[in-house]
Amino acid sequence: MPTIYVTRRIPELGLSMLRDKGFTLDVSEKDGVLTRDELLGALRAKPYDGVLSLLTDTIDAEVYDAVPTAKIFANYAVGFNNIDIPEAKKRGIVITNTPGALTNTVAEHAMALILACTTRTVEGDRLTRAGKYEGWGPMMLLGMDLAGKTLGVLGAGRIGSRLAHHAKDGFDMNVIYYDVKQNPDFEKATGARFCATVEEVLRDADVVSIHVPLLDSTKHLMNAERLAIMKNTAYLVNTSRGPVIDEVALVAALRAGVIAGAGIDVYEHEPALAPGLAQCANAVLTPHIASASVPTRDGMARLAAENLIAFFEGKTPPNAVQ
Ligand code: NAD
């Protein structure tokens, strides 16, 4: 039966599905991300048949060389920008991900960041805890209503379209979007208006939420020039991948009032933050937890296990990355 290396403990549900099928699992005992040397060393230790990897593991030619017996890498994430896909294809290695399981949870987190920014919830919490609340004030911490405002979605795939649904049906927002593919079904369901360019979204939106994958073409999709196109009353939310925003430019924009604020879950060089970001009172920052609900993390573990099981039963894994 297959022997799998698991680079960090994931919810038991996925591990027990694999053990029940007779797989042998070696699960990293480190409660943290393996360093490069630790990862390579662990993979060289045994002729593993497959690897269950996380988005924090960089999987490239050197890793494939370290474990030449492994014919599948099952990534415990929907994004797979941490994996060298062309190199895997060249070697006939199968890569899988966990799409769908986290769509609603991430969309809810994006909505939470939008609300935290526009209602100034986190600033209010900080002020209250600091003992600086001196009584109700007519001009204290004024925010923005969402009803009637425009949400601009960059990347209307699974998560972006789910967020659009929450924004329209839950908060009476209008939706506009930019995507490399126009999506008539999405437009019909949400009344969303397609914009031919990113710039058109940025000009018209009161809240911009990013849901594109990290690709060469989406790195620094939001840069200083594009931040400057946004309304100075608008908010930027990112639950996709950090490098999609030029984080240094974001800090400058937040400081200068180029935009009103930002809600950020992912960072360009995470876990590090760009200098000054933590000091921006108009930013709400979460530590890459957009998919972190108990059922969703179980769902991701189930999908990763299903992909491995299907592969070793000689079937095409349901979430093979093409
Ligand atoms: P998806 O593939 O369903 O949607 C991505 C959309 O982006 C697609 O519609 C695609 O056409 C579009 N797109 C691709 N390139 C584009 C470009 N250059 N400009 C505009 N649109 C472009 O993916 P999804 O399930 O919605 O997930 C989106 C991303 O969210 C993932 O790739 C992942 O990186 C990120 N994510 C983050 C977390 C988190 O914990 N913060 C959790 C899950 C997913």
Side-chain angles (χ1 to χ4, degrees), residues 78-79 81 102-103 106 154-160 178-181 211-215 217-218 221 239-241 265-266 288-291:
V78 62
N81 50 287
L102 33 60
T103 298
V106 178
L154 299 179
R158 287 174 294 253
I159 298 169
Y178 170 77
D179 194 298
V180 284
K181 289 180 281 189
H211 302 284
V212 296
L214 175 58
L215 306 167
S217 60
T218 58
L221 181 78
T239 56
S240 66
R241 285 289 182 263
D265 184 53
V266 286
H288 205 149
I289 52 167
S291 73

Side-chain angles (χ1 to χ4, degrees), residues 209-267:
S209 192
I210 307 179
H211 302 284
V212 296
L214 175 58
L215 306 167
D216 289 345
S217 60
T218 58
K219 179 158 192 250
H220 286 190
L221 181 78
M222 288 304 295
N223 54 23
E225 292 72 37
R226 283 190 166 150
L227 284 160
I229 297 169
M230 290 177 64
K231 300 179 187 180
N232 61 10
T233 50
Y235 295 87
L236 178 65
V237 167
N238 188 17
T239 56
S240 66
R241 285 289 182 263
V244 172
I245 297 181
D246 177 344
E247 206 169 290
V248 169
L250 174 65
V251 172
L254 287 168
R255 279 180 172 158
V258 171
I259 62 173
I264 305 290
D265 184 53
V266 286
Y267 303 89

Side-chain angles (χ1 to χ4, degrees), residues 73-311:
F73 283 68
N75 211 39
Y76 179 78
V78 62
F80 44 83
N81 50 287
N82 58 309
I83 298 186
D84 187 336
I85 304 285
E87 187 61 34
K89 277 199 180 139
K90 219 160 57 182
R91 296 169 183 239
I93 296 169
V94 171
I95 306 296
T96 64
N97 67 342
T98 62
L102 33 60
T103 298
N104 188 59
T105 306
V106 178
E108 285 187 5
H109 194 83
M111 200 69 230
L113 287 174
I114 293 171
L115 287 165
C117 287
T118 57
T119 64
R120 306 187 67 175
T121 300
V122 177
E123 284 172 272
D125 179 85
R126 276 197 295 264
L127 178 142
T128 308
R129 286 170 196 275
K132 292 182 183 163
Y133 174 46
E134 291 169 353
W136 185 89
M139 303 303 285
M140 186 171 66
L141 287 178
L142 304 185
M144 182 180 94
D145 291 326
L146 292 180
K149 294 289 195 308
T150 298
L151 169 71
V153 174
L154 299 179
R158 287 174 294 253
I159 298 169
S161 40
R162 184 70 186 152
L163 172 68
H165 158 75
H166 291 322
K168 176 179 179 288
D169 295 337
F171 295 90
D172 289 332
M173 295 186 78
N174 307 308
V175 180
I176 59 177
Y177 77 105
Y178 170 77
D179 194 298
V180 284
K181 289 180 281 189
Q182 190 168 355
N183 184 340
D185 291 341
F186 168 63
E187 291 171 22
K188 218 161 153 194
T190 59
R193 173 169 65 82
F194 177 68
C195 297
T197 61
V198 175
E199 284 72 14
E200 196 181 329
V201 171
L202 301 180
R203 250 192 319 270
D204 291 353
D206 300 295
V207 176
V208 175
S209 192
I210 307 179
H211 302 284
V212 296
L214 175 58
L215 306 167
D216 289 345
S217 60
T218 58
K219 179 158 192 250
H220 286 190
L221 181 78
M222 288 304 295
N223 54 23
E225 292 72 37
R226 283 190 166 150
L227 284 160
I229 297 169
M230 290 177 64
K231 300 179 187 180
N232 61 10
T233 50
Y235 295 87
L236 178 65
V237 167
N238 188 17
T239 56
S240 66
R241 285 289 182 263
V244 172
I245 297 181
D246 177 344
E247 206 169 290
V248 169
L250 174 65
V251 172
L254 287 168
R255 279 180 172 158
V258 171
I259 62 173
I264 305 290
D265 184 53
V266 286
Y267 303 89
E268 188 166 2
H269 303 289
E270 62 184 63
L273 306 186
L277 182 58
Q279 285 70 44
C280 291
N282 51 352
V284 175
L285 307 177
T286 53
H288 205 149
I289 52 167
S291 73
S293 77
V294 173
T296 286
R297 289 290 164 85
D298 276 350
M300 291 165 66
R302 180 185 296 112
L303 284 186
E306 284 171 356
N307 282 311
L308 286 164
I309 291 166
F311 178 80

